[in-house]
Amino acid sequence: MKKLHVSLSLSVIGLLLSTAAQAQSPTSPDDTDRANALLKQMTTEEKIGQLNQPFYLKLPIPGVKPDPVPYEVHVRRGEVGSFLFLTDPREINRLQKIAMTEQRLHIPILFGFDVIHGFDTEFPVPLAMAASWDPSLAEQAQGIAAEEAAHAGLRWSFAPMLDIARDPRWGRISEGAGEDPYLGAAMARAQVRGFQGTPENPRAFMATLKHFAGYGAAEGGRDYDAVYIPEERMQNLYLPPFRAGVEAGAGSVMSAYMDLNDVPASGNVHLLQDILRSELHFKGLVVSDAFAVGSLVTQGFAENGKDAALRGASAGVNMDMGSATYLEHMRALLDSRQITAAQLDDLVRPILAAKYHLGLFEHPYADATEQTHAEMLAQHRQIARIAAARSVVLLRNEGGLLPLARTTRRIAVIGPLGNNKDDINGPWSLTAKPEDTVSVFAGIRAKFSDSQVTFAEGVQIAKEFPSSFDGFLGAKIQKPWTPEEVDRQMKSALKLAANADVVIMTLGELSGMDFEYASRSSLSLPGKQQELLERIQALGKPVVLLLFSTRPLDLLWASGHIRGIMDCYFGGTETGDAIADLLVGDAVPGGKLPITWPRNEGQVPIYYAHTTSHKPYDSADFTSRYWDLPTSPLYPFGYGLSYSRFSYRAPTVGAKEIKAGTSAVVTTFVRNTSARDGDEVAELYVKPPPTAVSPKVELEGFMRVHLRAGETRRVQFTLSPRQLSEVDEKGNRAVVSGDYQIYISGGQPQAETPAATLHISRTAALPK
């Protein structure tokens, strides 16, 4: 796993990673001892019940047969180890009381929920937090989310999602950290520490590393579709974030839906036993994704429900989410001796140990009151506002249009996301309340209190094919406008823009378009947003485009015609105030792209860490791989502008030659050459020697630093042997001998970027 050592002052925001971390156990030996003692008292039926996690939903789930047995009856029978999707603390306490007082052994229920980027207070979506390049901020945000959720009686989050994603057509790109394994690992470790705390300061809450593994590589970006990943790519690209999460002590891992190399992940012995348990040394519990054990039949991997239960259990899935396949068939497997009593105990033990570790036997109940939600919001709004501002990436600022003058008299906010309080919270903001959210229009109007700030939607956007999630999650589907309303809204927007001094365009996607089961075939702005943008631009007014989406959309035209462009993602509760802060310079953009931005979908998949072909991109006679479009992206990974300007000295290494297996110290100095304070992300890239089985360059370190105007800061990184290693096609990890070029700058190295050379004297093997 690739890690970074840095020594920072308090003003530097960075990540402290161990160079030789061992997997931190998610539970203690005492938890396991107590679990073993309880197992000896449990009947077979009570053990099987612990493996079952039903959905608690009043709304029907499309394609799922309703359970006629009431929830409380299942609890009394000891048939529930965990519930998910229940967030009402009163109902949680009612069911928990049944478990604690009416069950024979008084085993508490573990309540879980998709606490993805907030609970009472919504923070930016995970991809946006990755764009902040600030793991300490992600850790703080998930710590707050855990605190808020725990008041409601929840002790288990199905986050973080650690799937590397290089295809923006895939809707779940919003939940991860983008395309790079080093950045993904840094955010993984931070989020686990946020949810669960540290060994010195633990929190009674459990994180889930999902979806194990390779789920983000779905063919064509089509959610749930098959994945084909060779061993060396799995090791070098897709596993590092999971390794980091396991080393941080994550309590649970979620097995994925899709086929991995033709074997469904939730029945994949090689994936869940050989890699997760044996290689990564994971000791916690594995929960399936929703219905994934039962779906082994649908996928043609299992003959029937009994066979599906056998395959899921044999692969090591401890808890069956939603399908009740274990509940219905595990007894028969035991009777037929296809599963032994010892195997059943092995499945149940991590679940009980987790409950002991979380303190559920001693403190099983929610403590939320009617005032808790308001109290949490009041405490956490300010950090949510900071997080939303730090996550924005400034893509274009021609002529220094931004920041806007506070004396701007007339501002028109135009677009379907401008006064939208639902969607700017982002996907998986299932407990968010629109009345708590600050819209962009409200934020700008408050910031420019002495100006005339007006708003018009201009156009309406909607999915062409709604998904099943739109129904059972209660997403609002707007009634389509009539042709007359379409014309009226467009004219209204144009009229407001014509009378404004500055136009703020708020375009992008609805949150449900960046979601599970929400892939896209196109990266164009949905609906008639492109037409609206072009007609507004033709008026000759200064235009700032605020893009709300997680996937990169087609900005090819906008990048040549719109003077100011900010990628705002979905910022959560404080989106509007944060955007207003950025527009006037009360906050300075410092985010960087966590994913390569294509010119259009024809370039997909596109990513920075590609190997060099026989016709390199930087060769003298190279033009493009395409005859109709440049090969280069519109905006590269790691790109982001600022209102400030920064310069770098050439990096230096502590020792120009080291032995394989030795760490290297790399240093540079960053200077703010402008008259404005600002944040810069120093990015360290390594180009390996020609003999290495490795991409052209790879990110191997980063540090977000705050620099006052004119300030110079020393920035230092330690490169571990593992960071300089790769796994080859035979599954062997090694640091190869040769010259490594090391670059540190505010983005990917260019031809003029100075490098330090580090020579490694001999090749050395490392543990995988």
Side-chain angles (χ1 to χ4, degrees), residues 116-118 122 422-423 425-433 511 515:
I116 306 301
H117 55 103
E122 290 296 333
D422 290 296
D423 290 290
N425 276 313
W428 294 109
S429 52
L430 305 179
T431 53
K433 297 182 179 181
S511 61
F515 199 59

Side-chain angles (χ1 to χ4, degrees), residues 642-658:
S642 174
Y643 300 156
S644 306
R645 297 183 305 279
F646 305 95
S647 64
Y648 288 77
R649 294 186 197 173
T652 59
V653 291
K656 293 185 178 181
E657 181 173 342
I658 61 173

